[in-house]
C-alpha cells in the first residue's frame, strides 16, 4: 500500500478540485498508465477497468480518505475535493502520521460502507472507535504485572466481531478479564480464519501497523514501545466521536448522499495534535546506486523536522564519501539548508564519482519521507516529491552537477537514492514535472474594495 500511496495522494492533489466526471476521467487515465501501461482506460478489458476503479474509489477514496465529494446545490454538480489529510501527506511525506490520523478518525458507524450496511450498523446501535479501543485494550494488557500479550484471534473475536463491544456497552478492562478467564478455563472460541469478517479485521491490524502503533508476529500483536505519545493520544480520543452518524435522516437518496459526503470529509480531516509527535526510526543506512552499499552509522532518532533529519543524514554521508576520497577536501562539504534562495541543501564535490572533475561542485537537494515498509523499486513502483521554483531553476542551471537525494526512513533501514540531473531527465520524458502553485501579480486597478481597521 505504501508503494502506491504517493501516486494516489499526488494524483488527487494534482486534479482537485474538479467535477466528479473530470476527476474520474483524469485519475483513471493516470492509474491505467501506471498499472497497465496505457493511458486509455476505455480500451482496457473489463476486469482491468474494475481494478483501476477499485484503486480509485475503494482504496484512495473510501479506505484512505484522500478526497471527498461535495454537491453544488445551485448547479446540482458534484465536485471532488482534496482532503486535509491528503494535503498534509503531500506536504510532509510522513506516512506513519498519515495512517495514525486515519486510524484516529475511523469509527463505526461511518459512511464507508454500502447504504444497506451502514443503515444496519445504525439500526444495531453500533458505536465504537475500533482502533482507539484496541490500543486501549492492548495498553491495559501490557500494563499488567506479567505484561500479557493478546492474540490476533482474541482481538478479532472479543472486540472487532463482538456486538456488545461494537455497541460500546463493554469496557476494555472487562474484555481483558473475559479473555484471561477463558484462557484459564481453556475455553476455545470460534476462529474467524477465512471469513469475510476476518479479512476486514486483518486490514485493520495492517493499518495500525502502518501507523507504527502496533507490532505483530504470526499469532500476537502488541504496542510499539517507541510510540508512547501516540498511544496516549489514541486512548485520549477513545470516546471522541467527531462524526455523529445518528444525527442524519437516511430516508431519501439525497440525505444518504449527504451522509456519505460529510463522513468522507470528516474522515479526511487532520488532527493537528499529531504534529507534536515524531515517529523515529533507527537501523542501517543503505545507499542505492549502481550497486547497493551500506554506509556507516544509522538513521538519526530525533524530534527535528523531517527535512532537517534527511539533510543531516545526507550531509554525514557526503562527508564520509569525500573523506574516503581525500581527507583534506572534506571541508568542501557544506550544509546550507537554512540559507534561503539557493535551490539546494548541500554543496559537496564530485570526488571519486567523477574522476575527470573530482573537485567540481556537486549541488544536492534532499527530499525525505517516512514510511514503515521499504520501497519495492519494482516495475510498478512510483514516487513523487515537491520541488520549488528556485530548486527547479538550480536543476536547470547546474545540469549534471545537480542531484536530488531521496531519503526513505523506514522501520528496518534508511534507504538513500540519487537522481542526477533531473532537469534533463524531465526533458527526455523520464520524469514528469508540473506546476502546483501559481503566483498572481495584481495592481490597484483590479481592487474592488479596500478595508482597514485597528
Amino acid at each position: 500500500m505504501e508503494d502506491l500511496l504517493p501516486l494516489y495522494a499526488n494524483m488527487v492533489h494534482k486534479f482537485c478540485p474538479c467535477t466528479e466526471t473530470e476527476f474520474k476521467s483524469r485519475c483513471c487515465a493516470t492509474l491505467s498508465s501506471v498499472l497497465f501501461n496505457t493511458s486509455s482506460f476505455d480500451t482496457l478489458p473489463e476486469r482491468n477497468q474494475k481494478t483501476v476503479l477499485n484503486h480509485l474509489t475503494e482504496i484512495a477514496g473510501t479506505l484512505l480518505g484522500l478526497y471527498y465529494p461535495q454537491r453544488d446545490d445551485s448547479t446540482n454538480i458534484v465536485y471532488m475535493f482534496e482532503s486535509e489529510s491528503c494535503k498534509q501527506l503531500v506536504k510532509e511525506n510522513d506516512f506513519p502520521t498519515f495512517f495514525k490520523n486515519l486510524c484516529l478518525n475511523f469509527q463505526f458507524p461511518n459512511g464507508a460502507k454500502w447504504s444497506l450496511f451502514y443503515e444496519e450498523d445504525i439500526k444495531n446501535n453500533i458505536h465504537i472507535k475500533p482502533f482507539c479501543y484496541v490500543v486501549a485494550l492492548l495498553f491495559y494488557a501490557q500494563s499488567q504485572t506479567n505484561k500479557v500479550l493478546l492474540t490476533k484471534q482474541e482481538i478479532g473475536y472479543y472486540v472487532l466481531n463482538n456486538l456488545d463491544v461494537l455497541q460500546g456497552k463493554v469496557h476494555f478492562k472487562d474484555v481483558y478479564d473475559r479473555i484471561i478467564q477463558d484462557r484459564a478455563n481453556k475455553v476455545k472460541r470460534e476462529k474467524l480464519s477465512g471469513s469475510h469478517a476476518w479479512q476486514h479485521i486483518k486490514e485493520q491490524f495492517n493499518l495500525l501497523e502502518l501507523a507504527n502503533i502496533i507490532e505483530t508476529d504470526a499469532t500476537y500483536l502488541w504496542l510499539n514501545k517507541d510510540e508512547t505519545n501516540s498511544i496516549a493520544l489514541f486512548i485520549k480520543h477513545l470516546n471522541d466521536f467527531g462524526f455523529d452518524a445518528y444525527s442524519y435522516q437516511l430516508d431519501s437518496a439525497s440525505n444518504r448522499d449527504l451522509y456519505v459526503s460529510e463522513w468522507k470529509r470528516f474522515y479526511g480531516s487532520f488532527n493537528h495534535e499529531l504534529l507534536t509527535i515524531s515517529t523515529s526510526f533507527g537501523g542501517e543506512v543503505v545507499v542505492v546506486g549502481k550497486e547497493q552499499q551500506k554506509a556507516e552509522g544509522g538513521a538519526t532518532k530525533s524530534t527535528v523536522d523531517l527535512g532537517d533529519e534527511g539533510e543531516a543524514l545526507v550531509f554525514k554521508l557526503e562527508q564520509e564519501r569525500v573523506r574516503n576520497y581525500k581527507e583534506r577536501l572534506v571541508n568542501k562539504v557544506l550544509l546550507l539548508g537554512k540559507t534561503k534562495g539557493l535551490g539546494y541543501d548541500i554543496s559537496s564535490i564530485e570526488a571519486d564519482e567523477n574522476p575527470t572533475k573530482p573537485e567540481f561542485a556537486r549541488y544536492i537537494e534532499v527530499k525525505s519521507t517516512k514510511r514503515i515498509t521499504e520501497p519495492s523499486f519494482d516495475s510498478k513502483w512510483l514516487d513523487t516529491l515537491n520541488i520549488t521554483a528556485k530548486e527547479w531553476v538550480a536543476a536547470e542551471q547546474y545540469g549534471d552537477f545537480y542531484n536530488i537525494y531521496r531519503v526513505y526512513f523506514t522501520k528496518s533501514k534508511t534507504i538513500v537514492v540519487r537522481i542526477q540531473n533531473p532537469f534533463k531527465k524531465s526533458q527526455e520524458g523520464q520524469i514528469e514535472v508540473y506546476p502546483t502553485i501559481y503566483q498572481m501579480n495584481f495592481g490597484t486597478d483590479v481592487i474592488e474594495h479596500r478595508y482597514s481597521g485597528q
Side-chain angles (χ1 to χ4, degrees):
M1 184 179 293
E2 287 188 303
D3 273 353
L4 288 173
L5 181 56
L7 167 65
Y8 300 145
N10 283 275
M11 176 180 70
V12 171
H13 183 72
K14 178 180 180 181
F15 298 136
C16 287
C18 63
T19 66
E20 184 177 33
T21 302
E22 292 170 331
F23 181 76
K24 179 180 176 181
S25 175
R26 294 170 180 174
C27 290
C28 284
T30 299
L31 290 167
S32 298
S33 177
V34 173
L35 299 174
F36 299 109
N37 298 314
T38 175
S39 60
S40 179
F41 171 77
D42 293 334
T43 61
L44 287 174
E46 184 178 355
R47 66 180 183 278
N48 292 351
Q49 288 185 352
K50 288 181 178 179
T51 298
V52 169
L53 290 173
N54 182 66
H55 278 272
L56 177 59
T57 59
E58 298 304 314
I59 302 177
T62 301
L63 178 61
L64 299 178
L66 296 172
Y67 62 88
Y68 63 91
Q70 188 167 310
R71 187 178 298 276
D72 184 329
D73 292 333
S74 62
T75 63
N76 205 35
I77 296 174
V78 175
Y79 290 87
M80 309 305 283
F81 293 89
E82 179 186 15
S83 69
E84 289 182 33
S85 61
C86 183
K87 292 177 184 177
Q88 186 69 21
L89 176 63
V90 171
K91 177 184 176 184
E92 300 296 339
N93 278 294
D94 188 334
F95 291 16
T97 295
F98 171 81
F99 284 108
K100 285 183 178 74
N101 183 76
L102 182 152
C103 292
L104 276 172
N105 285 348
F106 193 80
Q107 63 177 69
F108 292 125
N110 59 52
K113 300 180 178 181
W114 292 101
S115 60
L116 174 66
F117 297 110
Y118 66 65
E119 288 180 14
E120 183 178 356
D121 282 351
I122 292 173
K123 181 180 178 181
N124 289 330
N125 295 311
I126 302 299
H127 195 64
I128 189 174
K129 297 188 71 174
F131 296 111
C132 294
Y133 193 99
V134 168
V135 169
L137 173 60
L138 292 175
F139 181 79
Y140 183 73
Q142 291 174 218
S143 298
Q144 304 304 303
T145 304
N146 52 348
K147 299 185 185 303
V148 176
L149 291 183
L150 303 180
T151 70
K152 295 176 181 178
Q153 286 287 342
E154 287 169 339
I155 297 292
Y157 181 86
Y158 291 92
V159 178
L160 301 176
N161 203 45
N162 184 298
L163 183 59
D164 287 337
V165 173
L166 295 175
Q167 289 175 334
K169 295 179 179 179
V170 184
H171 196 276
F172 60 82
K173 293 181 181 178
D174 296 325
V175 171
Y176 171 80
D177 291 340
R178 183 59 181 270
I179 292 173
I180 298 306
Q181 179 183 339
D182 283 355
R183 282 185 181 183
N185 294 331
K186 302 188 183 312
V187 175
K188 298 292 184 181
R189 297 296 180 184
E190 178 186 357
K191 286 193 173 184
L192 298 172
S193 301
S195 71
H196 183 66
W198 180 240
Q199 179 60 36
H200 285 288
I201 289 168
K202 288 194 294 184
E203 288 175 359
Q204 292 181 58
F205 294 157
N206 184 47
L207 290 173
L208 278 173
E209 281 193 88
L210 291 173
N212 204 39
I213 297 296
I214 66 169
E215 297 176 327
T216 69
D217 60 18
T219 304
Y220 295 94
L221 69 168
W222 58 93
L223 294 176
N224 181 351
K225 60 181 176 56
D226 294 326
E227 288 283 358
T228 303
N229 292 334
S230 299
I231 291 165
L233 188 62
F234 271 69
I235 296 172
K236 172 186 174 182
H237 288 286
L238 174 61
N239 296 309
D240 293 341
F241 292 83
F243 179 78
D244 184 4
Y246 291 93
S247 67
Y248 291 83
Q249 297 294 327
L250 302 176
D251 53 356
S252 68
S254 60
N255 284 344
R256 289 190 289 273
D257 286 347
L258 178 65
Y259 171 85
V260 171
S261 173
E262 294 194 355
W263 157 255
K264 289 185 176 180
R265 183 167 186 169
F266 164 76
Y267 186 50
S269 63
F270 184 75
N271 187 328
H272 289 270
E273 291 175 270
L274 289 167
L275 296 179
T276 64
I277 298 170
S278 175
T279 300
S280 297
F281 297 132
E284 67 181 7
V285 180
V286 176
V287 181
V288 179
K290 294 180 180 178
E291 59 182 28
Q292 287 197 6
Q293 61 184 72
K294 295 179 181 179
E296 295 181 7
T300 57
K301 280 193 173 185
S302 67
T303 57
V304 300
D305 179 80
L306 176 59
D308 292 343
E309 197 171 352
E311 289 171 23
L313 174 63
V314 173
F315 178 63
K316 178 182 176 182
L317 293 176
E318 281 297 295
Q319 285 182 315
E320 290 178 4
R321 184 179 67 86
V322 173
R323 183 179 290 111
N324 290 336
Y325 174 70
K326 280 185 183 178
E327 175 76 31
R328 66 176 179 83
L329 295 176
V330 74
N331 63 349
K332 290 185 176 289
V333 182
L334 304 174
L335 181 58
L336 303 168
K338 300 302 182 185
T339 304
K340 302 294 185 182
L342 293 178
Y344 53 89
D345 299 312
I346 295 170
S347 175
S348 184
I349 60 172
E350 293 290 277
D352 60 316
E353 294 183 2
N354 191 340
T356 62
K357 301 174 182 177
E359 295 193 36
F360 272 49
R362 172 179 292 188
Y363 304 96
I364 299 170
E365 175 62 28
V366 182
K367 300 294 183 181
S368 303
T369 193
K370 284 184 181 177
R371 48 184 289 165
I372 299 300
T373 61
E374 298 174 29
S376 65
F377 299 119
D378 62 18
S379 59
K380 294 190 184 300
W381 175 83
L382 184 69
D383 194 11
T384 59
L385 53 84
N386 294 322
I387 189 166
T388 69
K390 289 186 182 296
E391 290 162 0
W392 195 237
V393 169
E396 180 179 9
Q397 178 181 354
Y398 298 121
D400 282 341
F401 300 101
Y402 189 89
N403 302 263
I404 293 177
Y405 281 41
R406 187 66 161 138
V407 181
Y408 300 95
F409 291 105
T410 79
K411 198 159 188 176
S412 58
K413 64 181 65 169
T414 295
I415 301 171
V416 183
V417 300
R418 173 190 172 199
I419 304 169
Q420 184 184 20
N421 199 345
F423 185 83
K424 180 180 179 182
K425 287 179 170 61
S426 174
Q427 289 186 312
E428 293 174 346
Q430 297 182 58
I431 60 177
E432 178 189 16
V433 179
Y434 60 88
T436 57
I437 298 176
Y438 295 87
Q439 177 177 313
M440 184 178 72
N441 301 314
F442 64 94
T444 56
D445 56 319
V446 301
I447 297 176
E448 298 178 16
H449 300 282
R450 183 167 58 188
Y451 300 93
S452 62
Q454 300 298 320

